[in-house]
Amino acid sequence: MTDAPIGIFDSGVGGLTVARAVSQLLPRESIVYIGDTAHSPYGPKPIADVRRYSLEVLDTLVDEGVKMLVIACNTASAAMLRDARERYDVPVVEVIGPAVRTAVSTTRNRRIGVIGTQGTIGSGVYQDMLGVDATLDVFAQACPRFVEFVEAGITDSPEVLRVAEEYLAPLRHAGVDTLVLGCTHYPFLEGAISYVMGEDVSLVSSDTETAKDVYRQLVSRGLLAGPDATASHTYEATGDSADDFLRLADRLMGRGVSAVRLVQTGAIDLPKGTP
């Protein structure tokens, strides 16, 4: 079981930032990554659909024999984290908690901004978790076009900068000194976001913090790969074209993704009355 792979799931390519951080911190660990490109983006979709799509992909990873699940998608984490932890016997790590903890320890003026998809911001999950600390003022902003830009491979155009200025203006006006990138796609736009927010605002990205959480969970559960383990990285997508995923991953990540195979996730029946 210790040499079984870690399963990492995202709605598209954004979770590759988490996969990269995990492999850098844990170079002996094998990884199976699935991007649900057939249903991406998740942000604008009804929460019931996101929940169903997510659990279908996680079922697939569990069937492939992973020893841990990493939900590298904020929208999916907000929609079905509790369901996942009840449904599976393997540990489940998500991206929201690690980013929240880092933001709280980073802020100096106690004013924290959060950006994310419509689904993530609408769920209120970041606002609720940060709101536990009554000394914090939290300002949330949905940035739906950011995922569209990243999934199209557009990360440095004048249009990206213009849209970033529009989305981030309320947060600049609010005087936040810490900004949570509440979507794993957003680190690909970190240049534009940092430029608009200014050098005095700290950006908190969940990829490295999630990798640290993966490390802690593996150690505490005795699941670290053995010293002689040889890591393998497998990338899968649910869309119609492996070439499309591969081209985009190559543009965003360099040569780290050399092959992608297409998978079909199974349909699941959710209990009646499920939101």
Side-chain angles (χ1 to χ4, degrees):
M1 182 65 175
T2 58
D3 291 339
I6 299 168
I8 301 179
F9 148 64
D10 185 61
S11 62
V13 299
L16 290 173
T17 58
V18 175
R20 177 175 57 188
V22 169
S23 64
Q24 288 174 343
L25 194 63
L26 296 158
R28 287 198 299 268
E29 297 293 340
S30 293
I31 291 172
V32 177
Y33 178 97
I34 295 184
D36 190 17
T37 49
H39 302 113
S40 182
Y42 278 6
K45 289 183 169 58
I47 191 171
D49 289 345
V50 171
R51 180 171 178 260
R52 184 174 70 255
Y53 299 149
S54 301
L55 292 174
E56 287 172 359
V57 174
L58 295 181
D59 281 359
T60 300
L61 285 169
V62 170
D63 288 344
E64 292 184 9
V66 301
K67 64 181 177 182
M68 169 182 283
L69 293 168
V70 180
I71 307 173
C73 175
N74 286 262
T75 305
S77 293
M80 42 63 74
L81 176 60
R82 180 178 297 178
D83 300 285
R85 285 181 170 160
E86 292 176 352
R87 185 178 181 88
Y88 306 113
D89 293 330
V90 298
V92 179
V93 173
E94 46 81 35
V95 292
I96 297 175
V100 165
R101 292 190 291 271
T102 301
V104 172
S105 65
T106 300
T107 183
R108 303 172 303 279
N109 68 3
R110 315 305 288 172
R111 300 174 74 82
I112 296 176
V114 180
I115 56 176
T117 66
Q118 291 171 328
T120 299
I121 299 303
S123 74
V125 60
Y126 274 102
Q127 298 93 310
D128 290 343
M129 291 184 71
L130 289 165
V132 172
D133 187 336
T135 70
L136 296 174
D137 290 318
V138 182
F139 305 88
Q141 174 69 42
C143 304
R145 293 194 62 192
F146 279 179
V147 170
E148 296 175 14
F149 283 133
V150 173
E151 292 287 337
I154 303 169
T155 59
D156 57 359
S157 72
E159 179 70 359
V160 169
L161 195 59
R162 185 192 66 77
V163 172
E165 289 173 342
E166 177 185 335
Y167 283 152
L168 301 175
L171 301 178
R172 292 179 60 195
H173 181 72
V176 303
D177 74 348
T178 302
L179 180 65
V180 177
L181 308 186
C183 176
T184 49
H185 286 68
Y186 292 2
F188 293 116
L189 303 177
E190 191 167 340
I193 294 170
S194 178
Y195 176 80
V196 172
M197 292 304 298
E199 60 184 16
D200 292 333
V201 176
S202 299
L203 304 186
V204 175
S205 179
S206 56
D207 50 359
T208 54
E209 302 308 320
T210 300
K212 294 174 187 175
D213 211 25
V214 169
Y215 181 92
R216 284 191 289 267
Q217 291 277 354
L218 292 177
V219 171
S220 65
R221 296 171 182 267
L223 292 175
L224 275 177
D228 298 325
T230 301
S232 64
H233 293 173
T234 302
Y235 300 93
E236 302 174 343
T238 62
D240 296 326
S241 174
D243 289 340
D244 288 345
F245 185 97
L246 189 59
R247 276 195 300 271
L248 183 55
D250 180 68
R251 173 169 180 171
L252 296 172
M253 302 290 291
R255 297 292 177 180
V257 182
S258 59
V260 177
R261 68 187 185 194
L262 297 179
V263 296
Q264 297 296 321
T265 57
I268 63 173
D269 294 323
L270 295 178
K272 292 182 178 179
T274 299

